[in-house]
């Protein structure tokens, strides 16, 4: 996820763009850049690191005079954070500049087509394709060039475009990535999100999918991708400036929970091509995939919990033995890694010290390491042999939600790829699984809309002393994550237990009114989990059940039931975790805790 800003008007553009980008750093901050038209040509300045570096480099924008320009703060998806890959990107003649938020899914084939036509590329990014494609279609009519490009690209985009030949206008276009435009007496603005321009205007237009905007200093025109002019209704923003950075959400965690449909989609869809799973970044032939004899998944915290689910799904779908380790244990237990083993490390930040150490230990023993990572160019991403990015965008809240959900998707894709290649999944089953995967974003959206019901239930437990989460199989992995979400942001003691294990001691802690959350999404284990629910109820527990819509039987044993939509049991974690995330969030809010920055915690644990 990146942030883009554009301006054209009567004021100096660079300071306005820098100010706007500073309000979008939550969207990405590994590099930044601006393209400003100085009256005769477009000048581009880019820098690696936080936006402050660009501000210092351009003396607050003073060294880039001009009344129109575009700017970008990056969250790298394709190409590590460096000056070459930072946006804006130029065509070869430096007469067209573009900034982009999103993923051009067919960029490789467009790149090959343009190279065949003599174009040369300097960066590793998907975005640079847009600059050369605009050049290819530009014959003097900028709107025509923009719309022709939009008909060629697949994927998601929010664009800002500047043509040196037409410095009295800038262009914006949108598909799936957020984009707004606005106007005040000094000019017109483009932005990825409201915070960037809220200080200049509260009257904004939300650009809809496949719409194009031509912005001049004193007016804007809206078009479809077929160049038909359309009219749009403005929206008056009521938020205060601080709230706007969270796009109107009270906390980043809530915002990021609501981004899960998109981050699941962004992690999933680019890897599904022609009803098959294509994970180019694995860099492994089918032969090599078939040769894998064991997978070691190594991670910490929620990433470890995702790995636990990965174990059940990979062993279930691909019949490859999987061992899951806490990185802090793996690195010191002299692990037994045998020939044919593959190590998979999972890390949102890509900087977790224990996970990085586990990666290095594995490589030192001569084993290939696959990283499932969210931060492009992070230490783990750089040192892993291959990286499967989760494309969840920057996650600000310490308690992970959208990155965790994206990690699950990466593991499902890996499991299905392995299962298909190793002949464990037949064609019909594979297509049915693909169909269930594609439904997940909408189903997550549905569950998120349940938040008021969850908040009401959560308010009953802000005074709780102990909360237990139980489940069998994948439901145990879900329980681990549900328990961590609650305790790390509400400071209430919570434990997750394999449901069959509780009676081996811990059940002695169950008292009258103790909340036990029973996760039951695995049909072949419904009856077993119900027995465990009855056991704790007999000791006075209040049982919350999270289960599938079909499992009405559970109502006999549960005091409160949250249903999730039907999906393949292997993917149930992606749905069951949503109400548990919301539960932890609302208990924390109800207790008045600092949801986004819980005590004692850090977003990335870069020490042992
Ligand atoms: C999860 O909500 C926590 N923030 C924490 O457990 C986290 O998952 C763990 O520290 C691993 O971080 P990583 O994914 O960046 O490696």
């Amino acid at each position: 996820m990146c942030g883009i800003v554009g301006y054209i008007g009567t004021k100096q553009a660079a300071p306005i763009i820098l100010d706007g980008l500073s309000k979008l750093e939550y969207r990405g901050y590994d590099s930044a850049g601006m393209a400003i038209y100085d009256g005769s040509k477009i000048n581009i300045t880019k820098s690696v690191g936080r936006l402050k570096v660009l501000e210092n480099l351009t003396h607050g924008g003073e060294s880039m005079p001009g009344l129109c320009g575009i700017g970008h703060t990056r969250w790298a998806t394709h190409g590590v954070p460096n000056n070459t890959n930072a946006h804006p990107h130029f065509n070869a003649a430096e007469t067209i500049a573009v900034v982009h938020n999103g993923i051009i899914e067919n960029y490789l084939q467009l790149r090959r087509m343009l190279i065949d036509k003599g174009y040369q590329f300097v960066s590793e990014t998907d975005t640079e394709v847009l600059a050369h494609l605009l050049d290819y279609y530009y014959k003097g009519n900028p709107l025509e060039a923009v719309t022709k490009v939009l008909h060629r690209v697949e994927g998601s985009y929010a664009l800002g475009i500047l043509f040196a030949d037409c410095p009295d206008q800038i262009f914006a276009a949108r598909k799936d990535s957020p984009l707004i435009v606005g106007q005040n007496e000094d000019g017109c603005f483009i932005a990825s999100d409201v915070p960037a321009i809220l200080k200049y205007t509260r009257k904004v237009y939300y650009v809809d999918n496949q719409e194009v905007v031509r912005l001049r200093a004193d007016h804007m025109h809206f078009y479809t991708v077929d160049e038909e002019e359309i009219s749009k209704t403005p929206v008056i923003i009521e938020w205060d400036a601080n709230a706007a950075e969270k796009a109107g959400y009270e906390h980043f965690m809530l915002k990021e929970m609501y981004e899960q449909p998109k981050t699941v989609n962004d992690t999933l869809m680019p890897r599904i091509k022609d009803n098959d799973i294509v994970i180019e970044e694995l860099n492994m032939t089918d032969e090599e995939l078939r040769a894998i004899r064991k997978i070691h998944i190594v991670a910490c915290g929620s990433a470890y919990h995702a790995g636990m689910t990965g174990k059940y799904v990979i062993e279930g779908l691909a019949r490859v033995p999987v061992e899951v380790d806490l990185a802090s244990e793996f690195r010191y237990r002299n692990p037994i890694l045998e020939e044919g083993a593959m190590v998979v490390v999972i890390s949102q930040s890509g900087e977790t010290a224990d996970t990085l150490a586990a990666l290095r230990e594995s490589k030192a023993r001569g084993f290939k390491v696959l990283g499932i990572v969210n931060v492009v160019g992070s230490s783990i991403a750089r040192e892993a042999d291959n990286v499967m990015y989760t494309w969840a965008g920057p996650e600000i809240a310490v308690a992970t939600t959208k990155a965790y959900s994206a990690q699950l998707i990466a593991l499902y894709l890996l499991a299905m790829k392995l299962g298909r290649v190793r002949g464990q999944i037949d064609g019909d089953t594979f297509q049915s699984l693909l169909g269930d995967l594609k439904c997940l974003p909408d189903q997550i959206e549905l569950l998120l809309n349940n938040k008021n019901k969850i908040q009401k239930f959560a308010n009953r437990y802000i005074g709780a002393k102990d909360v237990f989460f139980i489940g069998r199989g994948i439901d145990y992995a879900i329980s681990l994550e549900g328990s961590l979400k609650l305790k790390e942001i509400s400071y209430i003691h919570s434990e997750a237990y394999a449901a069959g294990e509780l009676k081996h001691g811990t059940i002695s802690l169950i008292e009258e009114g103790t909340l036990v959350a029973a996760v039951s999404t695995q049909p072949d284990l419904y009856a077993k989990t119900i027995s465990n629910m009855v056991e704790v109820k007999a000791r006075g527990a209040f049982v919350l059940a999270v289960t599938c819509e079909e499992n009405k039987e559970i109502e006999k044993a549960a005091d409160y039931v949250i249903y999730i939509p039907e999906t393949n049991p292997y993917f149930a974690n992606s749905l069951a975790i949503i109400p548990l995330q919301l539960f932890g969030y609302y208990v924390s809010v109800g207790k008045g805790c600092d949801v986004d920055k819980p005590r004692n915690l850090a977003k990335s644990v870069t020490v042992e």
Side-chain angles (χ1 to χ4, degrees):
M1 188 164 66
C2 306
I4 71 171
V5 176
Y7 171 77
I8 182 165
T10 58
K11 302 280 187 192
Q12 287 301 307
I16 292 173
I17 291 170
L18 285 171
D19 176 71
L21 291 176
S22 71
K23 305 293 191 306
L24 299 181
E25 271 207 293
Y26 73 86
R27 302 179 61 81
Y29 38 72
D30 57 44
S31 51
M34 287 192 290
I36 306 290
Y37 182 77
D38 68 2
S40 63
K41 67 187 181 327
I42 297 173
N43 298 304
I44 282 187
T45 304
K46 304 196 260 192
S47 60
V48 179
R50 302 301 294 253
L51 184 66
K52 199 75 194 140
V53 178
L54 183 66
E55 278 172 9
N56 296 339
L57 203 56
T58 60
H59 307 292
E62 283 179 22
S63 65
M64 297 187 78
L67 304 180
C68 76
I70 51 178
H72 185 272
T73 181
R74 186 169 184 238
W75 179 269
T77 54
H78 297 70
V80 295
N82 63 25
N83 255 28
T84 310
N85 291 331
H87 301 205
H89 287 281
F90 253 149
N91 63 331
E94 300 193 350
T95 53
I96 300 171
V98 62
V99 290
H100 167 226
N101 172 33
I103 295 173
I104 303 300
E105 292 170 6
N106 61 335
Y107 84 99
L108 285 174
Q109 70 197 64
L110 291 171
R111 187 183 175 111
R112 279 193 292 272
M113 181 273 282
L114 289 161
I115 288 170
D116 289 349
K117 292 182 184 299
Y119 284 86
Q120 291 181 339
F121 284 77
V122 296
S123 81
E124 307 158 83
T125 67
D126 54 335
T127 303
E128 190 185 349
V129 160
L130 298 172
H132 298 307
L133 208 52
L134 284 161
D135 180 273
Y136 176 68
Y137 283 118
Y138 180 65
K139 307 283 183 260
N141 178 337
L143 178 62
E144 180 191 52
V146 171
T147 53
K148 283 188 172 177
V149 166
L150 300 186
H151 281 292
R152 290 298 301 271
V153 300
E154 294 164 17
S156 58
Y157 53 77
L159 302 178
I161 305 166
L162 187 53
F163 292 84
D165 290 6
C166 320
D168 62 337
Q169 51 199 295
I170 58 177
F171 289 83
R174 186 242 170 160
K175 177 174 172 291
D176 295 339
S177 294
L179 189 64
I180 61 169
V181 293
Q183 180 177 0
N184 71 2
E185 65 283 356
D186 299 325
C188 289
F189 305 81
I190 302 170
S192 294
D193 197 356
V194 165
I197 61 172
L198 195 56
K199 77 187 278 189
Y200 305 105
T201 178
R202 285 188 174 274
K203 188 170 96 171
V204 304
Y205 296 83
Y206 285 87
V207 183
D208 290 311
N209 269 357
Q210 303 214 296
E211 287 182 350
V212 181
V213 193
R214 186 204 309 259
L215 300 93
R216 286 192 168 90
D218 55 2
H219 65 276
M220 296 183 285
H221 287 280
F222 298 92
Y223 305 88
T224 67
V225 280
D226 298 317
E227 296 187 51
E228 288 151 31
E229 188 153 4
I230 53 176
S231 62
K232 286 181 73 70
T233 310
V235 171
I236 305 303
I237 300 298
E238 308 295 345
W239 299 329
D240 66 69
N242 178 46
E245 293 217 359
K246 302 176 187 109
Y249 289 97
E250 190 183 351
H251 299 102
F252 277 112
M253 184 177 172
L254 187 60
K255 178 170 175 287
E256 288 153 11
M257 281 192 272
Y258 271 76
E259 286 173 350
Q260 288 180 115
K262 181 176 182 320
T263 54
V264 161
N265 193 64
D266 286 351
T267 303
L268 182 65
M269 293 317 288
R271 296 171 169 125
I272 295 179
K273 292 189 170 57
D274 304 327
N275 292 323
D276 193 9
I277 289 177
V278 178
I279 313 177
E280 284 158 357
E281 57 270 48
L282 273 186
N283 289 320
M284 292 175 77
T285 63
D286 288 357
E287 213 44 53
E288 287 169 323
L289 290 172
R290 277 190 281 272
I292 295 172
R293 294 168 58 183
K294 182 170 184 178
I295 292 177
H296 293 263
I297 297 178
V298 189
C300 301
S302 294
Y304 168 77
H305 299 155
M308 286 287 284
T309 293
K311 170 186 173 64
Y312 291 108
V313 178
I314 293 169
E315 288 189 344
L317 288 178
R319 306 308 296 155
V320 175
V322 179
E323 191 171 328
V324 190
D325 266 284
L326 289 168
S328 53
E329 290 296 304
F330 179 89
R331 65 183 295 192
Y332 292 119
R333 70 175 179 81
N334 191 13
I336 297 171
L337 298 178
E338 293 170 326
E339 194 190 337
M342 172 183 172
V343 178
V344 178
V345 295
I346 307 173
S347 176
Q348 185 287 125
S349 64
E351 300 299 343
T352 300
D354 287 322
T355 310
L356 183 56
L359 175 154
R360 289 171 176 164
E361 176 69 19
S362 304
K363 289 187 71 171
R365 295 168 177 234
F367 288 87
K368 274 192 175 298
V369 178
L370 170 68
I372 295 179
V373 183
N374 195 43
V375 179
V376 176
S378 58
S379 304
I380 289 174
R382 282 198 309 274
E383 296 189 29
D385 294 292
N386 297 301
V387 185
M388 199 172 165
Y389 283 115
T390 44
W391 292 333
E395 192 174 60
I396 309 300
V398 165
T400 182
T401 50
K402 62 175 185 173
Y404 168 83
S405 290
Q407 289 163 357
L408 293 177
I409 297 298
L411 290 161
Y412 300 155
L413 288 166
L414 182 61
M416 287 176 63
K417 182 71 185 172
L418 282 168
R420 190 79 180 112
V421 159
R422 299 166 72 102
Q424 296 294 331
I425 307 176
D426 64 52
D428 291 346
T429 307
F430 190 79
Q431 293 310 316
S432 165
L433 288 166
L434 274 187
D436 285 334
L437 277 180
K438 290 175 184 173
C439 292
L440 290 177
D442 288 344
Q443 292 177 318
I444 291 171
E445 185 104 39
L446 215 60
L447 289 163
L448 287 165
N449 294 337
N450 230 354
K451 70 177 170 67
N452 296 333
K453 177 184 170 191
I454 307 282
Q455 181 172 17
K456 224 162 129 217
F457 180 77
N459 285 338
R460 292 157 52 174
Y461 288 95
I462 54 180
K465 191 164 63 68
D466 291 305
V467 178
F468 294 89
F469 292 75
I470 62 172
R472 289 170 178 264
I474 287 178
D475 292 334
Y476 172 46
I478 299 170
S479 299
L480 287 167
E481 179 58 13
S483 173
L484 178 62
K485 284 285 101 34
L486 175 67
K487 59 187 151 185
E488 70 175 323
I489 60 177
S490 74
Y491 317 145
I492 291 175
H493 170 254
S494 169
E495 289 187 59
Y497 257 81
E501 182 61 15
L502 203 63
K503 55 182 167 300
H504 296 282
T506 303
I507 198 165
S508 66
L509 296 180
I510 304 296
E511 297 170 341
E512 189 58 34
T514 302
L515 176 62
V516 175
V519 183
S520 179
T521 67
Q522 307 298 303
D524 58 349
L525 296 169
Y526 282 161
K528 296 293 178 198
T529 304
I530 285 177
S531 313
N532 300 130
M533 292 162 63
V534 171
E535 284 163 10
V536 293
K537 264 184 78 66
R539 275 94 180 159
F542 183 97
V543 178
L544 160 68
V546 179
T547 190
C548 304
E549 282 162 356
E550 64 176 6
N551 187 16
K552 299 299 184 200
E553 195 64 19
I554 207 163
E555 290 179 6
K556 293 180 189 148
D559 297 298
Y560 192 91
V561 182
I562 297 171
Y563 288 106
I564 63 170
E566 288 308 305
T567 185
N568 186 289
Y570 285 121
F571 308 146
N573 189 341
S574 297
L575 301 181
I577 197 59
I578 302 300
L580 298 181
Q581 289 172 344
L582 288 167
F583 176 69
Y585 171 78
Y586 282 115
V587 171
S588 176
V589 169
K591 288 191 68 177
C593 299
D594 184 345
V595 175
D596 287 334
K597 296 186 181 64
R599 69 186 183 198
N600 309 338
L601 292 178
K603 184 58 186 169
S604 176
V605 183
T606 55
V607 294
E608 279 200 51

